[in-house]
Amino acid sequence: MSAKHIDIGQTIKFYRKKQGLTQEQVAENSGLSVKYISLLENGSAKNISIQKLSDIADALDVDLATLLTNDKPQFSDNSTPYTELLFLKLQNLPTEKSEEFSKIFLDLFRSLENFSQK
């Protein structure tokens, strides 16, 4: 059985957005540079020390082990930060509320589609 590849940068980005933090805030809270956080998230920085990863985990208020798992939704390469944030917000709501808001959004989309067809 082969091991799953973990994209640390995408994992950091996922939890940063889930917490509603900017790269600047993560950099400040972890003691790392904004450029380094950006390079990690974009996949340009390939190696990261366990200490730096631990500092980022602390800044994101997650366990180090959480950053080393694949237990998160995978977003497509063309999804926007707003789409991802909306999804994360809905995911973090209780199921009943998430369903309620999803229905409202879908009704709104249907109304907009009907309006644009007139």
Side-chain angles (χ1 to χ4, degrees), residues 70-86:
N70 281 326
D71 297 341
K72 63 188 182 313
Q74 298 296 315
F75 296 109
S76 67
D77 290 340
N78 63 350
S79 65
T80 67
Y82 290 114
T83 302
E84 293 176 18
L85 184 58
L86 177 60

Side-chain angles (χ1 to χ4, degrees), residues 17-92:
K17 288 183 176 189
K18 185 175 181 180
Q19 295 290 341
L21 299 171
T22 64
Q23 288 181 342
E24 290 80 8
Q25 290 169 312
V26 173
E28 183 178 325
N29 293 339
S30 66
L32 301 168
S33 72
V34 176
K35 183 174 182 170
Y36 186 70
I37 300 297
S38 177
L39 289 172
L40 281 171
E41 287 188 5
N42 293 320
S44 299
K46 299 293 182 192
N47 296 321
I48 182 171
S49 71
I50 197 72
Q51 182 58 54
K52 287 180 182 176
L53 191 58
S54 178
D55 292 341
I56 291 170
D58 288 344
L60 296 172
D61 197 28
V62 297
D63 294 325
L64 179 59
T66 300
L67 294 183
L68 298 173
T69 66
N70 281 326
D71 297 341
K72 63 188 182 313
Q74 298 296 315
F75 296 109
S76 67
D77 290 340
N78 63 350
S79 65
T80 67
Y82 290 114
T83 302
E84 293 176 18
L85 184 58
L86 177 60
F87 178 80
L88 292 172
K89 294 288 186 187
L90 286 171
Q91 183 182 30
N92 289 329

